[in-house]
């Protein structure tokens, strides 16, 4: 089942085209990597798909809802985690979970149970009263990911979620991603770590607002005669003609 579709999605800011007629589809339970150098347009495209920005033209659907006409329904159907995690350092762990459960529309009567379930899943019940600001970065990352799924969304968008995290913590984080995908949740992830691109089911590479490649990591490495996704990425990124935007 296709849970994300984009057809000729375009976003212009005046004379500048940030996203240039991109088209792709994402299946339920897929881990879809959305890659691009700074200024390629990936954050703008993600904002459109999350219902946060209207496209200038083209059509996009997320969880069956039109991103232009039904942005609020899109937002209610997804989870989102940014590179900065967006957790409140001056709140306790359980308070952050309860807060975001409410923001995501979990019924008040269900929030205590959801909170306990997140803590149990993380094996962090004993740390429920810890201040989030005191947690190591890796734990903040895992907590933020779990909070993004507290309302059981069909799709989770991850915007460079492992930036600044050590390799061991990144591996642990990807174990959580695999577990979510195995349960049927679709993961749409941007990353600048090309080793993480290898973990995705399929990868798209955006250059100057256009999708220049889209396939499995294995197929892309064969196509570009490259031993790693890092070399595939740089082969395509060198074609870029515009700087950061």
């Amino acid at each position: 089942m296709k849970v994300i579709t984009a057809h000729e999605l375009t976003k212009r800011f005046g004379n500048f085209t940030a996203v240039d007629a991109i088209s792709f589809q994402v299946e339920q339970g897929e881990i879809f990597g959305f890659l691009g150098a700074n200024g390629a347009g990936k954050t703008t495209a993600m904002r459109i798909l999350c219902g946060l920005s209207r496209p200038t033209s083209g059509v996009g659907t997320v969880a069956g809802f039109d991103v232009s006409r039904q942005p609020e329904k899109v937002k209610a159907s997804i989870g989102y985690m940014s590179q900065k995690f967006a957790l409140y350092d001056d709140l306790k762990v359980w308070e952050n979970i309860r807060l975001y459960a409410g923001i995501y529309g979990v019924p008040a009567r269900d929030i205590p149970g959801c909170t306990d379930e997140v803590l149990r899943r993380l094996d962090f019940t004993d740390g429920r009263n810890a201040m989030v600001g005191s947690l190591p970065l890796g734990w903040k990352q895992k907590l933020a990911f779990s909070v993004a799924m507290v309302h059981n969304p069909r799709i989770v968008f991850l915007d460079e979620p492992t930036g600044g995290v050590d390799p061991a913590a990144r591996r642990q984080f990807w174990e959580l991603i695999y577990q979510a995908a195995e349960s049927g949740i679709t993961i749409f992830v941007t990353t600048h770590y090309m080793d993480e691109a290898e973990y995705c089911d399929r990868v798209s590479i955006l250059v100057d607002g256009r999708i220049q490649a889209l396939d499995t990591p294995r197929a892309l490495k064969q196509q570009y005669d490259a031993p790693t996704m890092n070399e595939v990425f740089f082969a395509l990124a060198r074609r870029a003609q515009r700087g950061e935007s």
Side-chain angles (χ1 to χ4, degrees):
M1 181 194 306
K2 297 174 180 61
V3 294
I4 300 174
T5 66
H7 179 69
E8 300 289 310
L9 272 186
T10 300
K11 181 67 176 183
R12 299 187 184 93
F13 298 96
N15 293 324
F16 177 73
T17 302
V19 178
D20 193 355
I22 62 173
S23 299
F24 62 90
Q25 299 175 333
V26 182
E27 301 285 338
Q28 180 177 341
E30 187 173 18
I31 302 174
F32 188 81
F34 198 64
L35 312 182
N38 290 336
K42 62 184 185 297
T43 297
T44 300
M46 180 178 279
R47 287 180 56 82
I48 292 172
L49 294 172
C50 290
L52 299 172
S53 178
R54 286 180 177 269
T56 305
S57 61
V59 178
T61 63
V62 174
F65 300 112
D66 187 282
V67 297
S68 295
R69 295 184 290 105
Q70 301 169 294
E72 294 307 316
K73 289 186 176 181
V74 169
K75 294 174 192 174
S77 302
I78 66 172
Y80 176 77
M81 177 182 168
S82 72
Q83 184 177 5
K84 299 185 183 302
F85 308 126
L87 297 175
Y88 288 90
D89 285 347
D90 55 350
L91 293 180
K92 296 176 181 179
V93 168
W94 71 268
E95 291 173 328
N96 267 279
I97 299 170
R98 287 177 65 98
L99 172 65
Y100 278 96
I103 291 172
Y104 278 125
V106 175
R109 66 181 180 276
D110 297 334
I111 289 178
C114 288
T115 301
D116 291 341
E117 173 60 21
V118 170
L119 291 168
R120 184 199 61 76
R121 193 185 311 131
L122 289 172
D123 194 22
F124 204 57
T125 300
D126 291 342
R128 64 182 294 128
N129 289 313
M131 301 298 291
V132 165
S134 70
L135 298 178
L137 186 57
W139 268 106
K140 285 185 180 180
Q141 175 197 57
K142 289 187 284 187
L143 177 60
F145 181 60
S146 297
V147 164
M149 298 194 299
V150 71
H151 58 309
N152 296 316
R154 296 177 61 188
I155 305 155
V156 178
F157 287 86
L158 307 175
D159 191 5
E160 296 192 1
T162 56
V165 180
D166 67 80
R170 286 201 288 127
R171 284 193 297 271
Q172 292 174 358
F173 184 79
W174 273 88
E175 289 176 5
L176 294 178
I177 289 178
Y178 283 134
Q179 291 171 10
E182 287 172 0
S183 71
I185 297 173
T186 302
I187 306 294
F188 187 101
V189 57
T190 71
T191 179
H192 62 270
Y193 293 114
M194 289 303 107
D195 61 319
E196 292 186 348
E198 305 271 3
Y199 306 153
C200 298
D201 296 314
R202 287 189 303 145
V203 169
S204 71
I205 299 178
L206 209 64
V207 179
D208 289 348
R210 299 177 180 176
I211 293 179
Q212 295 293 340
L214 198 169
D215 212 325
T216 65
R218 181 177 180 180
L220 289 175
K221 287 186 288 186
Q222 291 176 341
Q223 179 181 345
Y224 289 92
D225 191 25
T228 67
M229 280 301 300
N230 194 56
E231 293 192 26
V232 172
F233 179 80
F234 280 110
L236 290 165
R238 282 195 291 267
R239 301 178 184 177
Q241 297 181 356
R242 72 190 193 198
E244 293 190 18
S245 61

